[in-house]
Amino acid sequence: MSRLARRSCWSLHFKNHYHIKTTSLLLSSFSTFAPHSTHPSPPPIRVELTEYAGRAVFASRRIGAGELIHTAKPAVAHPSLSMIHTVCYSCLRKLPNRDSTSGGPDDVSFCSIQCQQLSKKFYDVEKKADWSSFNEYCRLQGLKYPLLVKRLACQVISGAVAYDILDVLQPEIPSSDKISRMKKEAALLRSTFEDSDFESEKMAFLTEEWYAGVLARIRINAFRIELAIGSYEDLLSSAAALVEAESAVGNAVYVLPSLYNHDCDPNVNILWIENADAKIKALRDIEEGEELRICYIDASMDYGARQRILHQGFGFECNCPRCVSKD
């Protein structure tokens, strides 16, 4: 997710040609359906560099209230450990007639043959290793984001994705305490692969620096996946990724949705209806050229709570109109 306070400094590292290239790649990876059309078309948005917030997403035409702006598949997703037996190990869709006691610690399920096939590469890598120590560490420490790093590492080793797939996203600036913990987690992750006799060449990317860089991006760009029961209208707002506690069906990182800036009175909402495929929908009429913003947290919280969580979790002080008025 774009960060208002630190985005400008961060974005100075990107040259204009890089911005144009990555923006084109981002928009070419997503589509939506125009009204009365059965053919997918580019989403009605553009990504631009701004002086006040780095990259931001703007409407390229008028967007009506309730319109589905675009969808997005996660770059990486992982179920919560408490839900690992109740949801698809790939898309996080809830499985029928399953509860948290179903199956052993290593038993996972897929909702369809398609999900099983899409996951074959990374899962063939993952099931070669014994993840009991790594998962137990995450469970005892109440951590969820290292699980996403584990999943991404398996995807990279399998050749499914590039090791730098998340480099386009802004990283968190970690404290010394977090860096120390990241080093411990990186060592535990690498040793798990080494104990399973993976070729060293395939793990060459798996350094402390890679782990820290990926985790720093995941920490402020991950979304907590809460599946809606019913239609879009059942939800008016969505909370993006609580920073520490594990909850909901799982967590996921996206590319384009992570470029949306925050507002405590957003004009855009992100929903998950059946699985981890995100659906970005307009909450009200949006004019051409207007910036699209989501709410990173629960918009129903009071001013003090919003400021505290945004500062602690995302590293910025919100100056949206609602916060300026201390509503």
Side-chain angles (χ1 to χ4, degrees), residues 3-310:
R3 299 295 168 261
L4 300 181
R6 297 179 299 185
R7 204 42 161 333
S8 295
C9 292
W10 179 77
S11 65
L12 291 176
H13 295 287
F14 294 86
K15 296 185 181 294
N16 288 336
H17 74 274
Y18 177 79
H19 165 68
I20 294 171
K21 178 181 179 182
T22 54
T23 298
S24 298
L25 289 173
L26 285 172
L27 295 183
S28 66
S29 301
F30 301 88
S31 63
T32 188
F33 285 84
H36 312 300
S37 173
T38 58
H39 301 289
S41 59
I45 58 176
R46 63 177 185 270
V47 180
E48 295 183 358
L49 284 175
T50 67
E51 294 182 356
Y52 59 87
R55 283 178 297 184
V57 181
F58 296 86
S60 59
R61 63 164 171 77
R62 188 180 186 279
I63 300 172
E67 183 176 339
L68 177 62
I69 300 171
H70 67 84
T71 62
K73 290 186 176 297
V76 60
H78 196 284
S80 300
L81 290 177
S82 62
M83 302 291 289
I84 206 163
H85 301 305
T86 66
V87 301
C88 176
Y89 201 52
S90 175
C91 75
L92 310 188
R93 183 191 300 268
K94 288 185 178 180
L95 300 173
N97 304 318
R98 300 295 294 270
D99 57 38
S100 58
T101 62
S102 302
D106 298 323
D107 294 334
V108 299
S109 300
F110 298 92
C111 68
S112 65
I113 294 176
Q114 181 183 18
C115 274
Q116 193 169 12
Q117 292 174 338
L118 289 173
S119 307
K120 179 174 172 48
K121 281 189 174 182
F122 82 76
Y123 188 54
D124 282 350
V125 170
E126 184 175 322
K127 64 186 180 183
K128 290 179 182 178
D130 179 2
W131 295 102
S132 56
S133 295
F134 188 87
N135 289 348
E136 186 64 13
Y137 171 82
C138 292
R139 193 190 311 276
L140 292 175
Q141 298 295 321
L143 302 174
K144 55 187 179 180
Y145 298 140
L147 298 170
L148 288 168
V149 184
K150 177 192 80 171
R151 172 67 57 87
L152 182 61
C154 291
Q155 291 176 321
V156 174
I157 290 174
S158 73
V161 301
Y163 73 93
D164 58 354
I165 187 174
L166 299 185
D167 281 6
V168 70
L169 304 180
Q170 180 200 9
E172 174 193 47
I173 301 176
S175 64
S176 57
D177 289 342
K178 288 180 181 177
I179 292 174
S180 177
R181 190 168 71 179
M182 286 177 178
K183 290 181 178 180
K184 180 178 180 179
E185 294 165 6
L188 181 58
L189 180 63
R190 186 173 179 88
S191 66
T192 302
F193 283 116
E194 290 175 339
D195 291 344
S196 302
D197 297 324
F198 281 91
E199 297 176 14
S200 58
E201 292 80 5
K202 292 186 176 181
M203 296 190 298
F205 72 94
L206 192 50
T207 62
E208 286 183 357
E209 291 76 14
W210 180 85
Y211 184 95
V214 168
L215 188 61
R217 287 169 172 81
I218 287 175
R219 282 186 57 84
I220 59 172
N221 288 285
F223 288 85
R224 181 181 64 177
I225 308 302
E226 295 180 324
L227 301 182
I229 302 175
S231 65
Y232 289 125
E233 286 68 25
D234 290 333
L235 293 180
L236 295 179
S237 63
S238 173
L242 292 180
V243 172
E244 296 296 341
E246 177 185 302
S247 61
V249 298
N251 300 276
V253 177
Y254 306 82
V255 180
L256 182 54
S258 292
L259 303 183
Y260 284 75
N261 283 314
H262 166 82
D263 198 298
C264 294
D265 184 19
N267 56 7
V268 169
N269 191 26
I270 298 185
L271 297 175
W272 298 270
I273 305 302
E274 297 179 335
N275 55 29
D277 291 351
K279 300 180 185 298
I280 291 78
K281 186 189 179 195
L283 290 172
R284 58 173 174 77
D285 290 342
I286 300 170
E287 299 303 322
E288 180 178 352
E290 185 177 349
E291 184 180 355
L292 307 184
R293 294 194 174 205
I294 62 175
C295 187
Y296 295 170
I297 59 175
D298 184 351
S300 67
M301 292 187 293
D302 63 29
Y303 166 76
R306 298 197 312 273
Q307 287 289 338
R308 182 172 63 256
I309 292 177
L310 287 170

